Amino acid sequence: MMSLKQFWTKKTLVGLGLGQFLSLLITSTGFSSSELSNRGINAPTSQSFLNYALLTVVYGSVMLYKRQALKAKWYYYVVLGLVDVEANYLVVKAYQYTSITSVMLLDCWSIPSVMLLTFIFLKTKYRFRKIAGVIVCVAGLVMVIFSDVHAGDRSGGRDPRKGDLLVIAGATLYAISNVSEEFLVKNANRVELMSFLGLFGAIISAIQISIIEHNELKSIHWTAGAAFPFFGFSLALFLFYSFVPVLLKMSGSTMLNLSLLTSDMWAVIIRIFAYHEKVDWMYFLAFAAVAVGLVIYSGGDKEEDQHQCIAGVGDEDAGRSKYFDEEADFDNINRGAIAGSSKTGDTSKHDCITSGERSETIENKNIGKEVQGKKS
């Protein structure tokens, strides 16, 4: 039976806090987009372009200053940039065709998609407690949907079927993007990931803007009221992208997607206190359910990390040589690569060293037995 001290580990608390910080950033981007839409500005790719440009300038400068060698193939980042740009575009575009309720519900598709992808490609194994946490979180979000229906806030949209398909496609691309980032941040380097995601994301966004949004940009009348939410959106998204790899390396992509479920509920709280709007009581029950689900999912990571480290030590050398070149500057990152990808969450350096020594002792004994067997 897991004690309360084992459950409330430092990693659990940091993961929960960081997840909610990211959720608040996403909430702020939603309010910025809503303000821009009210002013007749509908250029989602242009908004994302500034974020990618900031990532390129900031993290690219750090990478050039340190003269870091590439740990992953450049074309991995091209594919990741394309997937990420189109995921952002499809979900924002869906609001033009279907209701916000449908978008909220169908966007949950990213959670089972992430779990399936991490199980297949990262060999992540989810225990019953993890699955229970996911179920509680999704149940909380379903309460939000019923709350919208109960309050009569649901609007059908001009083409619900098209909008729903856009959301499902976007959520699937989000899942692919999150899992790819989790793999790269655990096997390569956070600065490299942000630099090249920003570079290729900016290039792809610029091409897309020139094709489908150039007329929209020309028609915008730039005022302080329009510029503030436009640049505020980009700044919030830049901070979001900067801290996402930290949570991915710490707790995995499933924890990230579960944490972002609370963004809609933070928006409700902001509407209550900032705009003095009344909301249905089920919102508060839903918020509590998602919070409990997050705690269940992320609790007790320290104990699981020890199992991950022991399980992954024997295969770490093979994993490193398979995907990236070995370099001394990133030895500590590569040491935990396969251990981190075998289950969500990253292992501590001290635990990996301890289990590594145990593994070496076992290997030496096995080698001695094999030699004796050959002699006999």
Side-chain angles (χ1 to χ4, degrees), residues 264-284:
D264 298 302
M265 299 165 201
W266 287 121
V268 171
I269 293 176
I270 292 173
R271 290 206 304 265
I272 292 173
F273 292 100
Y275 300 100
H276 305 289
E277 295 182 7
K278 293 183 179 180
V279 298
D280 195 76
W281 61 271
M282 290 185 70
Y283 268 107
F284 301 101

Side-chain angles (χ1 to χ4, degrees), residues 13 23 44 51 68 75 78 80 87 107 117 158 162 190 204 207 217 237 273 284 290 317 320 323 331 340 352 359 367:
L13 295 175
S23 183
N51 163 58
Q68 296 177 353
Y75 47 81
V78 175
L80 177 60
D107 199 33
L117 290 172
R158 65 185 188 185
K162 183 177 181 179
R190 173 173 170 261
I204 295 169
I207 295 172
L217 288 177
L237 200 60
F273 292 100
F284 301 101
V290 173
D317 291 332
R320 282 186 298 208
Y323 294 104
D331 184 59
C352 283
S359 178
I367 290 172

Side-chain angles (χ1 to χ4, degrees), residues 284-344:
F284 301 101
L285 186 61
F287 190 92
V290 173
V292 170
L294 286 172
V295 171
I296 293 173
Y297 181 88
S298 61
D301 282 335
K302 184 176 181 180
E303 180 185 6
E304 292 191 6
D305 286 348
Q306 293 174 352
H307 293 299
Q308 290 177 29
C309 194
I310 294 172
V313 166
D315 297 327
E316 65 181 28
D317 291 332
R320 282 186 298 208
S321 60
K322 182 178 180 181
Y323 294 104
F324 305 111
D325 298 328
E326 295 182 358
E327 290 189 14
D329 290 341
F330 299 95
D331 184 59
N332 288 333
I333 296 176
N334 289 337
R335 187 179 296 276
I338 301 302
S341 60
S342 63
K343 294 181 182 178
T344 49

Side-chain angles (χ1 to χ4, degrees), residues 191-205:
V191 174
E192 177 182 311
L193 171 62
M194 292 292 96
S195 299
F196 283 90
L197 175 60
L199 175 62
F200 293 113
I203 294 173
I204 295 169
S205 295

Side-chain angles (χ1 to χ4, degrees), residues 81-99:
L82 178 62
V83 170
D84 198 72
V85 169
E86 299 311 320
N88 287 328
Y89 177 79
L90 289 175
V91 172
V92 174
K93 191 73 174 176
Y95 284 96
Q96 300 179 18
Y97 299 100
T98 190
S99 65

Side-chain angles (χ1 to χ4, degrees), residues 199-254:
L199 175 62
F200 293 113
I203 294 173
I204 295 169
S205 295
I207 295 172
Q208 188 161 307
I209 290 169
S210 65
I211 297 174
I212 62 177
E213 287 188 6
H214 62 282
N215 290 329
E216 181 68 30
L217 288 177
K218 290 180 180 178
S219 63
I220 296 176
H221 297 286
W222 291 104
T223 61
F228 182 77
F230 192 89
F231 290 104
F233 174 93
S234 300
L235 179 60
L237 200 60
F238 168 75
L239 292 174
F240 176 80
Y241 272 67
S242 297
F243 284 98
V244 159
V246 179
L247 185 60
L248 287 176
K249 189 172 183 179
M250 181 185 302
S251 304
S253 48
T254 303

Side-chain angles (χ1 to χ4, degrees), residues 5-74:
K5 185 176 181 180
Q6 289 176 317
F7 190 86
W8 288 106
T9 62
K10 179 180 178 181
K11 181 180 176 182
T12 299
L13 295 175
V14 172
L16 289 171
L18 182 57
Q20 291 315 296
F21 174 66
L22 294 174
S23 183
L24 284 169
L25 289 174
I26 283 295
T27 303
S28 66
T29 62
F31 275 94
S32 298
S33 296
S34 177
E35 181 64 24
L36 290 171
S37 179
N38 293 336
R39 293 177 178 273
I41 300 175
N42 297 301
T45 309
S46 301
Q47 294 171 221
S48 300
F49 172 78
L50 291 178
N51 163 58
Y52 293 123
L54 282 172
L55 290 174
T56 305
V57 172
V58 174
Y59 291 98
S61 299
V62 174
M63 192 172 179
L64 290 174
Y65 176 76
K66 293 184 177 181
R67 298 182 179 179
Q68 296 177 353
L70 282 180
K71 301 299 294 180
K73 302 296 183 181
W74 63 270

